Amino acid sequence: MKKELRDRAEALAAQLTLEEKIGMIHGAELFATQGVERLGIPPLRMSDSTMGVRQDFEPDSWKAIGHNNDFVTYLPCCSALAATWNRKLAGEAGSVLGAEARGRGKDVILGPGINIKRSPLCGRNFEYFSEDPYLTGELAAPFIQGVQQWDVAACVKHFAVNNQETERLWVDVDVDEDVLREIYLPAFYEAVKAGGALMIMGAYNRLYGEHCCQSDFLLRKVLREEWDYDGVIVSDWGGVHDTRLAALSELDIEMSVTSDFDQYKLAEPLKKLVETGEIPEERVDEKVIHILMLMMRLHMLGGERKRGCYNTEEHRQTVLYAARESVVLLKNEKGHLPLNPEKCHRILVVGDNGDCTHANGGGSGEIKALYEITPLMGIQKLLGGNCQVDFAPGYCRDRVYAGSDEDGDGKVSAANWQETSLENGGGLVKVQKEDEASRQQRRILRQQAVKLAASKEYDQVIFVGGLNHDQDSEGSDRPDMKLPYEQDELICELLKVRPDMITVLQGGSSVEMGQWIDQAHSLVWCWYAGMEGGTALAEVLFGKVNPSGKLPESFYKSHRDCSAHCVGEFPGGDKVRYGEGVFVGYRYLDSFGIEPDFCFGHGLSYTEFSYGEARLEEKEGEQPGTVFVTCEIVNVGERTGKETIQVYLRQRVRDKKAPYQTLAGFEKVELAPGEKKKIWIRLHGNGKDREIALGSSSRDIRKVIG
Ligand code: BGC
């Protein structure tokens, strides 16, 4: 099958002139390559990203065309999908994206982003799934399959170790090879092998001194030779630096952000080197063959191709389901949640995020959403006019951010940030500029909100704050985990006058909560959860939906507790040493006894589950030797709910060189009150000589085998 495909691609490639072949291996537009009309080979049309299909730009400038037909379904970000711990939902979300990409006439969707969340400060964390390679791979694979069933290629990115934005174009990652293979590569392996990703994007950064997009080690040795990958490898936009190296490497397509397409390294410069015999033409042929094979797989060169569709009612339903399951109930100490809508006559929502849309931000992941339900809209919609919902912003954003506005005149000069994204090393740590005017305004907003909250008018006060895409953004990292815009002060003051306040935070990675966490009895975390995020949040707050999200990452008390910072380096300089080795995320915290605010896998429900005896069993119909962990789970509470049962492999005898425990399986199950189910969890990895721990989170272990 594979051979036949290759033979066909080779035969077609043999009919192409050098000029035509060169046209196919580099950008001829910002998001497309050149086709060969005489042979019916179309251009390859690409678009970002994972939260939806991006708006269309002019072929040669970053000016949005401004179509009125490129509004789309806005999906939950990858971190939100990861928080669902639901493989089926991940697949359905992927299918929405694939259908929309096809519906919009795209051949490739530039996602999902599957880099490991090494530090909570990475600006693109919201585009990534988790700090855990197994969880990332388990969700990315069905997502990719979902996309590709629509004859659209998923392009997993960014291969590899693209774990920070600071100096992203140049930073050289120094990570031990065994660590690379244990932590940073497995999700890509799963994406390629189990997910069948037809395309992969090289990262901007360097690894072992080589730029990833032209790396011999990553692209040839690992991808092509070890993993036997015959899909297409595309560069990140502007990630190619050397014609010879790129030509000789396994990279197939060079893309960039500038419009001098003929001057791309794999354009005229390569053509010259081939003509003078310095680079063998076979190198070009090999790239073209990969591209043609991809086109055949997508039925672009004949055969029946799926049509796709976008903005359908079904898509909106799916993104709502995913959003619902992504909400994480972090704390509900006094059982204030869920709120009873019947008892609410007047409520107050405080916080800029309550009334803020996020779709159109964050960098290349930006979405021109058909609509976006904010938390405030979601609450109003749910209460249906039977309760007065007042809003107070409580805080406001800074008007000026370092980095977005170099000269400080309040204007960002480029039509689109991406146009200048290759300047200055490509990324920085974004520090909030001192801005007295914004501070003054915040003082007033804070006073107003606290005064309202203190009045006896309200049955309930709900605070909705956290981060936005000024912090969670491509091209920059956060300096620390502190909540921006003096929100800590605001939350403290609000909790003083309303100790029963519900606190909701939104963001792509955790924030410091130390100043008020002990006072906040009810705490909910939501991510950038797509166009129905506000609906889902309201449904959780008012008990229409029982929360079932679990943290796909550790919520540290401070970034200083994260191993990338306290053992390794982040963001480093020209080089960044991953000195923490395999001790990433909970692997570090659990091995060294460090308490996070909320641990990996944590997430509460409005019901309770009890765990029966756990056993190791083989399952009928499965390959002999495949080990399953089984356990009977009972919903012992009063509401229907979903539980994610997590399996961790733990050391029996302490070995300080390896993590104390690692996630090795999970299953999500729905149970009605009183209902019991036997759960089968496939064990990933070698359980020999290990203790097998089953639980509701990494630190709420209910049963141990062995
Ligand atoms: C990003 C990629 C994105 C590409 C195209 C780059 O800035 O790193 O993730 O797919 O632009 O927009």
Side-chain angles (χ1 to χ4, degrees), residues 7-20:
D7 288 348
R8 276 170 55 210
E10 278 180 10
L12 188 51
Q15 300 177 48
L16 297 167
T17 65
L18 177 61
E19 173 109 23
E20 288 167 339

Side-chain angles (χ1 to χ4, degrees), residues 48 54 124 157-158 168 201 204 236-237 418 474:
D48 289 304
R54 199 176 179 188
R124 289 187 91 167
K157 61 192 191 183
H158 310 87
R168 65 174 176 163
M201 186 190 292
Y204 275 136
D236 200 342
W237 271 226
Q418 212 153 0
E474 181 176 344

Side-chain angles (χ1 to χ4, degrees), residues 259-272:
S259 58
D260 52 345
F261 305 113
D262 288 344
Q263 293 317 309
Y264 284 16
K265 307 282 187 290
L266 295 191
E268 283 300 312
L270 173 60
K271 195 164 149 243
K272 273 196 201 114

Side-chain angles (χ1 to χ4, degrees), residues 288-314:
V288 169
I289 289 166
H290 291 139
I291 297 166
L292 290 172
M293 282 165 70
L294 171 77
M295 289 182 166
M296 288 170 183
R297 285 173 163 142
L298 298 179
H299 305 115
M300 291 172 68
L301 303 180
E304 190 101 358
R305 192 172 188 198
K306 301 251 173 66
R307 277 180 70 200
C309 51
Y310 61 112
N311 290 330
T312 68
E313 180 58 35
E314 207 188 330

Side-chain angles (χ1 to χ4, degrees), residues 93-217:
S95 173
V96 168
L97 186 63
E100 300 236 338
R102 214 33 236 122
R104 287 268 312 278
K106 311 298 176 193
D107 306 310
V108 178
I109 191 81
L110 302 169
I114 60 171
N115 293 101
I116 293 297
K117 293 189 173 192
R118 176 177 175 246
S119 154
L121 304 188
C122 171
R124 289 187 91 167
N125 272 348
F126 71 102
E127 291 190 69
Y128 304 143
F129 286 82
S130 168
E131 69 188 22
D132 183 79
Y134 173 68
L135 179 60
T136 303
E138 283 298 292
L139 296 171
F143 185 90
I144 292 161
Q145 287 168 351
V147 168
Q148 295 190 165
Q149 75 194 23
W150 288 95
D151 290 341
V152 168
C155 177
V156 284
K157 61 192 191 183
H158 310 87
F159 191 63
V161 281
N162 187 178
N163 309 105
Q164 65 183 59
E165 291 300 284
T166 310
E167 286 298 324
R168 65 174 176 163
L169 294 182
W170 292 96
V171 69
D172 185 10
V173 175
D174 176 16
V175 55
D176 294 345
E177 194 177 324
D178 54 341
V179 175
L180 181 75
R181 291 180 184 275
E182 188 169 331
I183 303 290
Y184 298 97
L185 296 187
F188 284 100
Y189 181 81
E190 276 305 296
V192 163
K193 289 290 183 189
L198 293 172
M199 201 148 153
I200 191 163
M201 186 190 292
Y204 275 136
N205 49 278
R206 293 185 287 166
L207 171 67
Y208 307 142
E210 291 183 310
H211 277 286
C212 293
C213 291
Q214 49 196 44
S215 156
D216 184 63
F217 171 74

Side-chain angles (χ1 to χ4, degrees), residues 226-243:
E226 293 178 21
W227 299 359
D228 194 25
Y229 185 66
D230 68 357
V232 168
I233 307 176
V234 65
S235 75
D236 200 342
W237 271 226
V240 174
H241 298 263
D242 184 285
T243 301

